[in-house]
Amino acid sequence: SSSRSRIRTAGHVTRTMRVILLLTALAVAVCAVASRPVPSGTQDTDGDVTYMPTVLWHGMGDTCCFPFSMGHIKRLIEKDLPGIYVYSIMVGNNIIEDEINGFIGNVNKQVEQVAAKLAADPNLVNGFNAVGFSQGSQFLRAYVERFNSPPVNNLVTLGGQHQGVFGIPKCPADSSKFCEASRRLLDLGAYLPRVQNASVQAQYWQDPWNEDEYREMNHFLPDINNDGSYNDLYKQNMLKLSNFGMLKFDNDTMVQPVESEWFGFYAPGQDQVILPLEQTQLYLNDTIGLQKLDTAGRLQKLSVVGDHLQISNEEFTELVVPYLNVTTS
Protein backbone atom coordinates (compact mmCIF):
# COMPACT_ATOMS: atom_id res chain seq x y z
CA SER A 1 0.00 0.00 0.00
CA SER A 2 1.16 3.53 -0.72
CA SER A 3 -0.98 5.07 2.03
CA ARG A 4 0.95 7.19 4.48
CA SER A 5 1.85 5.73 7.85
CA ARG A 6 2.26 8.13 10.72
CA ILE A 7 5.25 8.05 13.00
CA ARG A 8 5.06 9.75 16.31
CA THR A 9 8.12 10.23 17.02
CA ALA A 10 5.04 13.59 18.65
CA GLY A 11 6.30 35.09 42.96
CA HIS A 12 9.00 33.16 40.52
CA VAL A 13 7.85 29.64 41.43
CA THR A 14 4.28 30.25 40.23
CA ARG A 15 5.52 31.88 37.04
CA THR A 16 7.93 29.04 36.39
CA MET A 17 5.32 26.33 36.92
CA ARG A 18 2.89 28.10 34.60
CA VAL A 19 5.46 28.18 31.83
CA ILE A 20 6.44 24.54 32.37
CA LEU A 21 2.78 23.46 32.34
CA LEU A 22 2.09 25.51 29.21
CA LEU A 23 5.08 24.06 27.36
CA THR A 24 4.15 20.55 28.45
CA ALA A 25 0.52 21.06 27.41
CA LEU A 26 1.67 22.25 24.01
CA ALA A 27 3.92 19.23 23.69
CA VAL A 28 1.07 16.89 24.57
CA ALA A 29 -1.09 18.64 21.98
CA VAL A 30 1.49 17.80 19.34
CA CYS A 31 1.30 14.14 20.26
CA ALA A 32 -2.48 14.21 19.96
CA VAL A 33 -2.31 15.18 16.30
CA ALA A 34 0.84 13.34 15.25
CA SER A 35 1.06 9.55 15.38
CA ARG A 36 3.69 7.65 17.05
CA PRO A 37 4.90 6.91 14.18
CA VAL A 38 30.08 -7.89 18.48
CA PRO A 39 31.51 -6.64 15.10
CA SER A 40 29.97 -3.39 13.93
CA GLY A 41 27.77 -5.17 11.45
CA THR A 42 25.39 -8.08 11.28
CA GLN A 43 25.35 -10.68 8.53
CA ASP A 44 22.25 -11.21 6.46
CA THR A 45 20.46 -14.52 6.51
CA ASP A 46 22.52 -15.81 3.58
CA GLY A 47 25.78 -14.84 5.28
CA ASP A 48 26.91 -12.88 2.22
CA VAL A 49 26.60 -9.27 3.41
CA THR A 50 27.41 -7.52 6.66
CA TYR A 51 25.58 -4.24 7.21
CA MET A 52 26.77 -1.45 9.49
CA PRO A 53 24.32 -1.18 12.43
CA THR A 54 21.65 1.51 12.64
CA VAL A 55 20.67 3.56 15.70
CA LEU A 56 17.28 5.31 16.01
CA TRP A 57 16.33 8.18 18.35
CA HIS A 58 12.57 8.75 18.54
CA GLY A 59 10.71 12.03 18.88
CA MET A 60 8.61 13.63 21.59
CA GLY A 61 5.75 11.55 22.97
CA ASP A 62 7.11 8.33 21.50
CA THR A 63 9.30 5.61 22.96
CA CYS A 64 12.03 3.34 21.68
CA CYS A 65 9.83 0.33 21.39
CA PHE A 66 6.18 0.92 20.51
CA PRO A 67 5.42 -1.66 17.78
CA PHE A 68 3.43 0.87 15.73
CA SER A 69 6.11 3.59 15.67
CA MET A 70 9.82 2.87 16.17
CA GLY A 71 9.05 -0.83 16.12
CA HIS A 72 7.51 -0.37 12.68
CA ILE A 73 10.56 1.57 11.47
CA LYS A 74 12.87 -1.11 12.86
CA ARG A 75 10.99 -3.84 10.99
CA LEU A 76 10.97 -1.78 7.80
CA ILE A 77 14.76 -1.38 7.92
CA GLU A 78 15.23 -5.07 8.72
CA LYS A 79 13.01 -6.00 5.77
CA ASP A 80 15.04 -3.82 3.38
CA LEU A 81 18.42 -4.83 4.85
CA PRO A 82 18.08 -8.42 6.11
CA GLY A 83 20.17 -9.27 9.15
CA ILE A 84 21.01 -5.66 10.08
CA TYR A 85 21.36 -4.78 13.78
CA VAL A 86 18.98 -1.93 14.71
CA TYR A 87 19.25 -0.25 18.12
CA SER A 88 16.37 2.00 19.17
CA ILE A 89 17.38 4.42 21.94
CA MET A 90 15.59 4.31 25.28
CA VAL A 91 16.12 7.38 27.46
CA GLY A 92 15.77 6.03 30.98
CA ASN A 93 15.30 2.55 32.36
CA ASN A 94 11.92 1.63 30.85
CA ILE A 95 9.45 2.85 28.24
CA ILE A 96 7.48 4.88 30.80
CA GLU A 97 10.58 6.86 31.72
CA ASP A 98 11.48 7.03 28.04
CA GLU A 99 8.22 8.77 27.13
CA ILE A 100 8.30 11.13 30.12
CA ASN A 101 11.90 12.08 29.34
CA GLY A 102 10.71 13.33 25.96
CA PHE A 103 8.93 16.14 27.80
CA ILE A 104 10.70 16.64 31.10
CA GLY A 105 14.40 16.61 31.91
CA ASN A 106 17.80 18.07 31.17
CA VAL A 107 18.71 17.30 27.55
CA ASN A 108 22.45 17.57 28.20
CA LYS A 109 22.20 14.85 30.82
CA GLN A 110 20.02 12.72 28.55
CA VAL A 111 22.55 12.88 25.71
CA GLU A 112 25.31 11.92 28.13
CA GLN A 113 23.27 8.96 29.37
CA VAL A 114 22.60 7.79 25.82
CA ALA A 115 26.29 8.10 24.93
CA ALA A 116 27.13 5.71 27.76
CA LYS A 117 24.54 3.20 26.52
CA LEU A 118 25.86 3.30 22.97
CA ALA A 119 29.44 2.88 24.15
CA ALA A 120 28.42 -0.17 26.19
CA ASP A 121 26.81 -2.04 23.28
CA PRO A 122 29.38 -4.42 21.72
CA ASN A 123 27.41 -4.50 18.47
CA LEU A 124 28.15 -0.80 17.92
CA VAL A 125 31.84 -0.78 18.76
CA ASN A 126 33.01 -0.10 15.21
CA GLY A 127 30.43 2.57 14.46
CA PHE A 128 26.90 2.91 13.11
CA ASN A 129 24.51 4.94 10.98
CA ALA A 130 21.95 7.05 12.83
CA VAL A 131 18.41 8.25 12.18
CA GLY A 132 16.77 10.95 14.32
CA PHE A 133 13.06 11.69 14.38
CA SER A 134 11.88 15.22 15.25
CA GLN A 135 13.69 16.34 18.45
CA GLY A 136 15.68 13.11 18.38
CA SER A 137 17.42 14.66 15.36
CA GLN A 138 19.22 17.40 17.26
CA PHE A 139 19.84 15.06 20.18
CA LEU A 140 21.68 12.63 17.90
CA ARG A 141 23.63 15.53 16.42
CA ALA A 142 24.62 16.52 19.95
CA TYR A 143 25.92 12.97 20.45
CA VAL A 144 28.01 13.25 17.28
CA GLU A 145 29.48 16.59 18.28
CA ARG A 146 30.18 15.87 21.94
CA PHE A 147 30.97 12.15 22.00
CA ASN A 148 30.98 10.26 18.68
CA SER A 149 32.49 7.20 20.31
CA PRO A 150 31.53 4.84 18.81
CA PRO A 151 31.44 7.00 15.69
CA VAL A 152 28.48 7.81 13.46
CA ASN A 153 29.02 7.16 9.75
CA ASN A 154 25.86 8.59 8.11
CA LEU A 155 23.45 10.83 10.02
CA VAL A 156 19.88 11.30 8.79
CA THR A 157 17.38 13.61 10.50
CA LEU A 158 13.63 13.67 9.88
CA GLY A 159 11.83 16.87 10.85
CA GLY A 160 14.60 17.97 13.21
CA GLN A 161 14.56 21.40 14.84
CA HIS A 162 18.21 22.16 14.17
CA GLN A 163 17.87 25.90 14.64
CA GLY A 164 15.17 25.50 17.23
CA VAL A 165 11.55 26.62 17.15
CA PHE A 166 9.76 29.91 17.69
CA GLY A 167 6.11 29.08 17.53
CA ILE A 168 3.31 26.89 18.80
CA PRO A 169 2.41 23.67 16.97
CA LYS A 170 -0.67 23.94 14.76
CA CYS A 171 -0.80 27.69 15.41
CA PRO A 172 0.68 29.64 12.47
CA ALA A 173 2.00 32.93 13.79
CA ASP A 174 2.42 34.40 10.31
CA SER A 175 -1.34 34.35 9.74
CA SER A 176 -2.81 34.57 13.23
CA LYS A 177 -2.48 37.45 15.70
CA PHE A 178 -3.44 35.08 18.50
CA CYS A 179 -0.64 32.67 17.61
CA GLU A 180 1.84 35.53 17.35
CA ALA A 181 0.80 36.81 20.79
CA SER A 182 0.99 33.29 22.23
CA ARG A 183 4.57 32.70 21.17
CA ARG A 184 5.55 36.10 22.55
CA LEU A 185 3.92 35.07 25.85
CA LEU A 186 6.07 31.95 26.03
CA ASP A 187 9.14 34.18 25.92
CA LEU A 188 8.29 35.47 29.38
CA GLY A 189 9.52 32.24 30.92
CA ALA A 190 11.15 29.92 28.39
CA TYR A 191 14.67 30.86 29.48
CA LEU A 192 14.12 30.77 33.23
CA PRO A 193 16.62 28.33 34.80
CA ARG A 194 13.88 26.17 36.30
CA VAL A 195 12.11 25.93 32.96
CA GLN A 196 15.34 25.15 31.12
CA ASN A 197 16.02 22.29 33.52
CA ALA A 198 12.49 20.92 33.38
CA SER A 199 11.10 21.41 29.86
CA VAL A 200 12.81 19.53 27.04
CA GLN A 201 11.12 21.72 24.43
CA ALA A 202 12.31 24.94 26.09
CA GLN A 203 15.87 23.77 25.49
CA TYR A 204 15.49 24.27 21.74
CA TRP A 205 13.31 27.40 21.91
CA GLN A 206 15.00 30.26 20.05
CA ASP A 207 13.59 33.77 20.22
CA PRO A 208 14.93 35.81 17.26
CA TRP A 209 13.94 39.00 19.05
CA ASN A 210 16.17 38.25 22.03
CA GLU A 211 19.23 36.46 20.70
CA ASP A 212 21.54 37.55 23.50
CA GLU A 213 19.22 36.05 26.10
CA TYR A 214 18.89 32.91 24.00
CA ARG A 215 22.66 32.45 23.81
CA GLU A 216 23.13 33.16 27.50
CA MET A 217 20.20 31.29 29.03
CA ASN A 218 19.37 28.38 26.71
CA HIS A 219 21.75 25.68 27.89
CA PHE A 220 21.44 23.22 24.99
CA LEU A 221 20.83 24.46 21.44
CA PRO A 222 23.26 27.42 21.29
CA ASP A 223 26.00 25.13 22.54
CA ILE A 224 25.62 22.43 19.88
CA ASN A 225 25.36 25.13 17.19
CA ASN A 226 28.55 26.81 18.43
CA ASP A 227 26.50 29.98 18.77
CA GLY A 228 27.98 32.38 21.32
CA SER A 229 30.72 30.04 22.40
CA TYR A 230 32.90 27.84 20.21
CA ASN A 231 34.10 24.28 20.67
CA ASP A 232 36.23 23.06 17.78
CA LEU A 233 35.60 19.43 18.75
CA TYR A 234 31.98 19.83 17.65
CA LYS A 235 33.00 20.92 14.16
CA GLN A 236 35.70 18.27 13.81
CA ASN A 237 33.31 15.51 14.85
CA MET A 238 30.68 16.71 12.38
CA LEU A 239 33.30 16.63 9.63
CA LYS A 240 33.89 12.95 10.38
CA LEU A 241 30.41 12.16 9.03
CA SER A 242 30.39 10.47 5.64
CA ASN A 243 26.99 12.04 4.92
CA PHE A 244 24.45 14.23 6.70
CA GLY A 245 20.95 13.99 5.22
CA MET A 246 18.29 16.43 6.44
CA LEU A 247 14.69 15.57 5.59
CA LYS A 248 12.15 18.41 5.69
CA PHE A 249 8.37 17.98 5.69
CA ASP A 250 7.10 20.63 3.28
CA ASN A 251 3.67 20.98 4.89
CA ASP A 252 4.88 20.73 8.50
CA THR A 253 2.49 22.49 10.88
CA MET A 254 4.37 21.49 14.03
CA VAL A 255 7.78 23.10 13.51
CA GLN A 256 7.96 26.90 13.21
CA PRO A 257 9.74 27.83 11.12
CA VAL A 258 9.78 24.63 9.06
CA GLU A 259 13.08 25.80 7.52
CA SER A 260 14.72 24.87 10.83
CA GLU A 261 14.62 21.30 9.55
CA TRP A 262 17.25 22.42 7.01
CA PHE A 263 19.02 24.77 9.48
CA GLY A 264 17.16 27.85 8.25
CA PHE A 265 15.73 30.38 10.72
CA TYR A 266 14.36 33.89 11.17
CA ALA A 267 16.75 36.72 10.44
CA PRO A 268 17.84 38.40 13.70
CA GLY A 269 15.57 40.97 15.31
CA GLN A 270 12.26 39.96 13.69
CA ASP A 271 10.05 36.95 13.01
CA GLN A 272 8.90 37.33 9.41
CA VAL A 273 11.91 36.99 7.10
CA ILE A 274 13.46 33.51 7.12
CA LEU A 275 17.06 32.96 6.11
CA PRO A 276 17.91 29.71 4.34
CA LEU A 277 20.84 27.70 5.66
CA GLU A 278 23.29 29.21 3.18
CA GLN A 279 22.60 32.76 4.45
CA THR A 280 22.89 32.00 8.17
CA GLN A 281 25.96 32.89 10.21
CA LEU A 282 26.18 29.23 11.21
CA TYR A 283 26.86 28.37 7.56
CA LEU A 284 28.82 31.46 6.51
CA ASN A 285 31.17 31.12 9.51
CA ASP A 286 31.07 27.33 9.18
CA THR A 287 30.83 26.97 12.94
CA ILE A 288 29.90 23.27 12.88
CA GLY A 289 31.27 22.30 9.47
CA LEU A 290 28.08 22.39 7.40
CA GLN A 291 29.62 24.55 4.68
CA LYS A 292 32.55 22.20 4.32
CA LEU A 293 30.26 19.16 4.25
CA ASP A 294 28.11 20.90 1.65
CA THR A 295 31.06 21.81 -0.57
CA ALA A 296 32.24 18.21 -0.43
CA GLY A 297 28.79 16.92 -1.45
CA ARG A 298 28.26 15.27 1.94
CA LEU A 299 25.33 17.44 3.09
CA GLN A 300 21.99 16.58 1.49
CA LYS A 301 18.62 18.33 1.66
CA LEU A 302 15.74 15.88 1.35
CA SER A 303 12.01 16.60 1.45
CA VAL A 304 8.59 15.00 1.29
CA VAL A 305 5.16 16.58 0.85
CA GLY A 306 3.47 16.03 4.18
CA ASP A 307 2.91 17.20 7.73
CA HIS A 308 5.32 16.50 10.57
CA LEU A 309 6.77 12.97 10.35
CA GLN A 310 4.19 11.99 7.72
CA ILE A 311 6.24 9.66 5.54
CA SER A 312 5.16 6.54 3.70
CA ASN A 313 6.99 3.25 3.81
CA GLU A 314 7.95 3.76 0.17
CA GLU A 315 9.37 7.23 0.82
CA PHE A 316 11.32 6.00 3.82
CA THR A 317 12.79 3.16 1.76
CA GLU A 318 13.64 5.51 -1.10
CA LEU A 319 15.08 8.43 0.88
CA VAL A 320 16.39 7.08 4.19
CA VAL A 321 17.36 3.43 3.72
CA PRO A 322 20.17 4.23 1.21
CA TYR A 323 22.02 5.98 4.06
CA LEU A 324 21.77 2.75 6.06
CA ASN A 325 22.73 0.41 3.22
CA VAL A 326 26.40 0.40 4.17
CA THR A 327 28.26 -2.88 4.15
CA THR A 328 31.32 -3.67 6.21
CA SER A 329 32.39 -6.80 4.36
Side-chain angles (χ1 to χ4, degrees):
S1 169
S2 61
S3 61
R4 291 186 176 276
S5 59
R6 292 185 173 183
I7 307 166
R8 185 208 292 178
T9 52
H12 286 303
V13 173
T14 302
R15 180 182 174 195
T16 300
M17 288 306 300
R18 284 176 178 169
V19 174
I20 293 173
L21 289 172
L22 178 57
L23 287 166
T24 303
L26 291 170
V28 171
V30 174
C31 298
V33 291
S35 320
R36 300 184 190 254
V38 221
S40 84
T42 306
Q43 287 192 343
D44 71 2
T45 52
D46 296 324
D48 297 325
V49 179
T50 302
Y51 294 108
M52 180 174 283
T54 289
V55 169
L56 312 174
W57 197 326
H58 62 80
M60 174 182 65
D62 200 357
T63 76
C64 64
C65 308
F66 284 140
F68 45 83
S69 57
M70 290 300 98
H72 172 77
I73 293 297
K74 182 175 183 289
R75 291 192 302 273
L76 184 59
I77 295 170
E78 291 169 340
K79 176 177 177 291
D80 290 334
L81 305 173
I84 191 173
Y85 177 72
V86 181
Y87 180 96
S88 188
I89 290 171
M90 175 188 291
V91 184
N93 299 311
N94 52 63
I95 61 171
I96 296 175
E97 289 185 9
D98 192 16
E99 185 166 7
I100 292 172
N101 285 333
F103 298 101
I104 300 172
N106 184 300
V107 174
N108 293 317
K109 293 180 179 178
Q110 291 181 4
V111 173
E112 184 176 1
Q113 177 192 96
V114 167
K117 286 188 173 185
L118 298 179
D121 189 330
N123 294 295
L124 305 176
V125 66
N126 292 326
F128 55 89
N129 298 307
V131 185
F133 298 82
S134 195
Q135 67 184 20
S137 299
Q138 55 264 31
F139 301 164
L140 268 175
R141 179 163 62 86
Y143 166 80
V144 172
E145 294 181 10
R146 294 173 175 175
F147 299 94
N148 209 36
S149 179
V152 173
N153 178 53
N154 290 329
L155 174 63
V156 191
T157 62
L158 283 70
Q161 301 91 34
H162 290 295
Q163 288 271 40
V165 295
F166 184 62
I168 300 171
K170 293 288 185 181
C171 197
D174 58 353
S175 60
S176 166
K177 291 183 178 180
F178 170 78
C179 295
E180 173 66 16
S182 296
R183 70 178 178 182
R184 294 294 188 91
L185 181 62
L186 283 176
D187 277 337
L188 298 177
Y191 297 137
L192 292 173
R194 291 186 183 89
V195 176
Q196 282 290 305
N197 283 317
S199 169
V200 168
Q201 288 67 47
Q203 292 164 69
Y204 53 86
W205 179 267
Q206 180 176 179
D207 177 5
W209 294 90
N210 298 292
E211 289 198 327
D212 290 341
E213 184 181 20
Y214 158 73
R215 294 186 182 102
E216 180 182 355
M217 303 302 294
N218 187 314
H219 63 208
F220 173 69
L221 191 64
D223 180 71
I224 66 167
N225 285 349
N226 269 340
D227 189 2
S229 61
Y230 180 78
N231 187 329
D232 192 59
L233 174 66
Y234 295 178
K235 179 176 180 177
Q236 297 309 315
N237 279 346
M238 286 292 288
L239 291 175
K240 292 176 182 177
L241 291 172
S242 294
N243 290 282
F244 181 10
M246 309 173 295
L247 192 148
K248 177 169 72 72
F249 294 86
D250 290 339
N251 297 325
D252 202 320
T253 59
M254 304 293 179
V255 178
Q256 294 186 51
V258 66
E259 288 79 6
S260 182
E261 298 174 15
W262 281 353
F263 279 91
F265 204 70
Y266 297 108
Q270 52 83 59
D271 57 16
Q272 297 297 317
V273 177
I274 298 173
L275 299 177
L277 164 64
E278 294 79 6
Q279 295 178 24
T280 64
Q281 292 303 305
L282 180 144
Y283 185 89
L284 295 173
N285 296 329
D286 207 19
T287 53
I288 60 171
L290 296 184
Q291 183 184 134
K292 192 166 185 178
L293 286 172
D294 190 21
T295 302
R298 293 155 54 201
L299 180 70
Q300 296 89 32
K301 290 181 176 180
L302 314 170
S303 66
V304 295
V305 178
D307 204 343
H308 193 59
L309 297 186
Q310 301 296 292
I311 185 168
S312 68
N313 292 347
E314 294 81 3
E315 289 168 329
F316 188 88
T317 294
E318 176 187 355
L319 297 173
V320 179
V321 170
Y323 288 88
L324 315 180
N325 187 5
V326 178
T327 58
T328 58
S329 67

